Amino acid sequence: MPVNGARARRDRIVHLATTTGLTSVEELSRTFGVTASTIRRDLAQLTADGRLARTYGGAMALVAHPEASLRQRTGEAFEAKRAIARWAASTIRTGETVLLDAGSTVGALAHELRTAEGLTVATTGLTALQELADVETVRVECLGGTLRPLSQSFLGPLAEAALERMTFDRVFLGADGVTAEHGICEADLSQTRLKELMARRADAVYVLAHSAKIGRRPFHTWVRLPPGWTLVTDDGADPHEIRALRAQGVEVTVVGAGDPRPSTPDRGAGR
C-alpha cells in the first residue's frame, strides 16, 4: 500500500488501528513498505500527539469508534443521501413549520428546500442554516445554544429552552447509527436528549439515515425509536434489520439512489 509522506502514512495508521484493532510494528512495516524503525517513530509521534496508545510491539486506537466530523461525512454516500433528502422534501407541504436536525443527510434535505415557498424551517444545524441563509421564500429560525464543532450543531439548555416555545408539523432527525434493538445511536447524551425533545414537539417524526448506518452501533448513547416514527434509508440497508424495525412498528421507507425526483404537485418544496 504505497502512501506518500509521513503525515499521510500516520493518518492511515490511525485509521487501521481504529477499524481493525491492535496494530503491530511488523504488520505496519509490511503494509507500508518501510522499515520497522520508521514505523516505531510514527507510533511514537502519534502517541505524543494523543492519537494512539502504545502497546508492546505495536499500538491501538484510544477509542473503538472515534466520531467523524461533519466535514468528513459530507461526501460519504452522496447519491443515497440525495435520494433520501428528495423523498423527505416530497412530504413537506406549503405553509408547514418543520424542524431540521444537524447532520449531512438532513443538510442534504435543507439543500432540497432551497426552492421551497411559504415554509418556516427551524434548525439546530449550521449546514441547514448555510443552505437556507439566502433563500427569501423560507423563514429560518435558529434554535441557538452551544456549538458542538464535530457535528456543527447547537445543543444544550438554550436550544432546549427555544424548543419549548415552538411546535412543528414535522421533524427530521439524523443519526450516527440505527438498530432495531436499541434505536438511534449518538456520540453523547446531550445529543440524545435534544433529539428526544425535538421529537416531542413535532406531529410527525422522520429519521434520515443512509444504509451504512443501519445496524451500526458506534457509540453507547441511544434514543428510543418508537412505533409511529418513520425511518428513511436507501436500498443498500440490511434487509434483516429492516424487517426487525418494521416488526417493532417503525415505519420504514426505502428509496433507491436512482429514484426519480418525486413529482407530487402539492409539495411544500414547490418545485
Side-chain angles (χ1 to χ4, degrees), residues 7 30 60 139 147 184 215:
R7 177 176 295 181
R30 289 193 300 269
M60 63 183 295
R139 178 184 177 90
L147 179 64
I184 303 169

Side-chain angles (χ1 to χ4, degrees), residues 120-144:
T120 296
V121 176
T123 185
T124 61
L126 277 181
T127 300
L129 287 175
Q130 291 165 349
E131 286 286 357
L132 298 172
D134 61 345
V135 179
E136 296 182 356
T137 55
V138 175
R139 178 184 177 90
V140 179
E141 304 281 358
C142 176
L143 295 187

